[in-house]
Amino acid sequence: MPGRLLRGLRQRWRRYKYRFVPWIALNLSHNPRTLRYVPEESKDKVLSDEEVLGTLLKVFQALFLNDFNKQSDILTVLPEPVKLKYQDFLAVQHQRVKLLENRHQHQSIFKPEEVLYKTLGFSVAQATSSLISAGKGVFVTKGFVPKGAVVSMYPGTVYQKYEPVFFQSIGNPFIFRCLDGVLIDGNDKGISKVVYRSCNGRDQLGPLKMSDSTWLTSEMRNPLAVGQYVNNCSNVTVGN
């Protein structure tokens, strides 16, 4: 019995140690599995920054207009130069408000996932897999995802290489290490959740929030914030 227990613990450690930041730091130079190698002939980025930014802006603009009634109070406290950036949105919303008034409706119609579908042609959601012991994953719930599309974001607390993340990394499978060494803790539970909420509250400027914390709840405002649950069983390195 003790032998089986020890073997089980060793197997779990062999799988988990690549997520344990102190172990990674000590073994980075001589353990190839901790290194993200990208061949010179391969491009690190599947999509250009411009394409990614264009998709995100399109989605966020649609979400902004859909939730305009809640956003209007925040717009009043923005500096005038920033308000000017929203003039096109305001013009579109003015026409939409007239249409809603004609229908005797005064609130947002669509859920965030519906806005995503109407904007990009598909929607995604986090759900438990039907496979035994497969855990949670991300599934396309509606529409079709074309090749090369932006399907999700990886939310979480961003740590620079010199910032401590020891306690957050213990038993945490959601720490994602970028090619440049930056770490993203996408865990929505435990100490990771507490740290993110703390940073979110610290950085808030009056009514203006610098980051979105709804991905920690069941009522997400950003339907793309499910990237930490995307499963990738391929051995091919994908850069970020």
Side-chain angles (χ1 to χ4, degrees):
M1 185 66 180
R4 290 180 59 186
L5 179 62
L6 289 175
R7 283 196 297 272
L9 290 174
R10 279 198 295 267
Q11 289 177 356
R12 292 192 63 180
W13 169 246
R14 280 198 293 268
R15 290 194 299 266
Y16 166 68
K17 63 184 180 181
Y18 302 104
R19 301 280 186 177
F20 188 56
V21 173
W23 186 91
I24 293 174
L26 292 173
N27 294 272
L28 185 63
S29 60
H30 54 80
N31 194 299
R33 186 169 173 179
T34 65
L35 301 175
R36 298 185 62 203
Y37 172 70
V38 180
E40 292 184 3
E41 63 272 14
S42 301
K43 290 185 177 180
D44 180 38
K45 296 183 179 179
V46 178
L47 296 176
S48 67
D49 291 343
E50 291 75 17
E51 291 176 293
V52 174
L53 181 60
T55 298
L56 295 181
L57 284 176
K58 187 186 299 183
V59 173
F60 292 156
Q61 287 171 5
L63 290 170
F64 174 83
L65 290 177
N66 186 66
D67 197 32
F68 184 81
N69 290 335
K70 294 180 180 179
Q71 304 286 353
S72 56
D73 293 338
I74 295 178
L75 285 177
T76 60
V77 302
L78 293 175
E80 287 300 324
V82 178
K83 286 183 182 179
L84 294 176
K85 301 289 186 180
Y86 289 89
Q87 290 306 313
D88 292 340
F89 297 149
L90 295 176
V92 172
Q93 181 61 20
H94 181 66
Q95 297 175 359
R96 185 177 175 212
V97 168
K98 284 187 175 181
L99 179 62
L100 293 179
E101 288 176 349
N102 293 335
R103 296 179 180 176
H104 304 287
Q105 297 176 353
H106 301 280
Q107 58 185 2
S108 299
I109 301 175
F110 305 113
K111 295 180 179 179
E113 56 269 25
E114 293 172 333
V115 175
L116 179 63
Y117 172 72
K118 290 179 177 294
T119 305
L120 299 184
F122 64 86
S123 59
V124 295
Q126 174 202 139
T128 302
S129 175
S130 59
L131 300 176
I132 299 176
S133 302
K136 293 183 178 180
V138 176
F139 302 86
V140 178
T141 56
K142 192 176 181 180
F144 172 77
V145 181
K147 182 179 180 180
V150 176
V151 295
S152 66
M153 300 173 63
Y154 200 101
T157 305
V158 178
Y159 292 91
Q160 299 299 325
K161 291 179 286 187
Y162 52 83
E163 293 180 311
V165 69
F166 174 81
F167 290 107
Q168 296 91 313
S169 74
I170 298 176
N172 184 357
F174 295 102
I175 291 189
F176 184 87
R177 182 157 58 87
C178 301
L179 193 62
D180 57 4
V182 170
L183 300 172
I184 304 175
D185 184 3
N187 196 352
D188 55 6
K189 299 178 180 64
I191 188 173
S192 300
K193 180 178 181 178
V194 173
V195 170
Y196 187 91
R197 285 192 181 278
S198 175
C199 293
N200 182 59
R202 178 200 64 190
D203 296 338
Q204 183 169 337
L205 184 61
L208 303 178
K209 293 184 177 180
M210 300 297 107
S211 57
D212 170 43
S213 61
T214 62
W215 65 276
L216 297 170
T217 71
S218 59
E219 302 293 331
M220 291 194 303
R221 293 184 182 177
N222 177 9
L224 292 175
V226 292
Q228 75 275 39
Y229 283 101
V230 172
N231 294 319
N232 177 23
C233 294
S234 171
N235 291 324
V236 179
T237 299
V238 178
N240 291 275

